[in-house]
Amino acid sequence: MKDKKVLKLVGARVRVLRKEKGLSQEALGEKGGFHFSYIGQVERGEKNVSLVNLAKIAEALEVNLIQLFAYVEEEMQITPMDHSIQEVVDMLREANDEKMRLAKNVLKEILKTDTSS
């Protein structure tokens, strides 16, 4: 099994369990002693999380550590929207600072809500 695939499967399992518990990433982070952005990175499979930190996450989720590895690939149902978002994120990761600023400004304009109606 490829490293990235393992990270994504475990991260997806953390996300499922977190949502089942009704916790935000911030709430889970506080319970486990992590910053919410770290939880997000784990859930997206971007962090090669240590076993010690996985144990802390499991404890914060009030589950046995083994439950973080009880993933089923079918749980990772990726919607077309998820795929599109990931494509945009991948493009942004490769952009230089100037292109990042430009992309941010373009997105702000495109997503700006129309307050005149």
Side-chain angles (χ1 to χ4, degrees), residues 99-110:
K99 287 183 178 180
M100 179 66 80
R101 281 191 299 276
L102 179 61
K104 183 178 173 183
N105 289 335
V106 168
L107 280 173
K108 279 183 179 178
E109 288 300 314
I110 291 171

Side-chain angles (χ1 to χ4, degrees), residues 8-94:
K8 287 186 179 290
L9 288 171
V10 171
R13 184 67 178 146
V14 168
R15 179 180 290 119
V16 166
L17 292 169
R18 175 181 60 77
K19 287 184 176 184
E20 285 177 0
K21 301 286 183 177
L23 297 171
S24 65
Q25 289 179 344
E26 187 172 5
L28 177 57
E30 286 177 8
K31 283 183 78 174
F34 304 106
H35 192 273
F36 73 91
S37 64
Y38 179 80
I39 298 298
Q41 291 172 321
V42 169
E43 289 184 355
R44 291 186 300 275
E46 296 172 350
K47 274 286 186 203
N48 190 0
V49 60
S50 72
L51 189 55
V52 170
N53 284 349
L54 281 176
K56 289 178 183 178
I57 291 170
E59 184 176 336
L61 288 168
E62 300 174 0
V63 298
N64 292 324
L65 180 61
I66 193 71
Q67 288 183 270
L68 298 183
F69 299 97
Y71 47 74
V72 178
E73 287 191 83
E74 289 75 32
E75 284 183 14
M76 287 188 57
Q77 296 174 359
I78 306 293
T79 66
M81 178 70 84
D82 291 331
H83 183 67
S84 294
I85 290 170
Q86 189 58 55
E87 284 182 46
V88 171
V89 170
D90 290 343
M91 286 188 281
L92 291 172
R93 287 186 196 284
E94 295 175 11

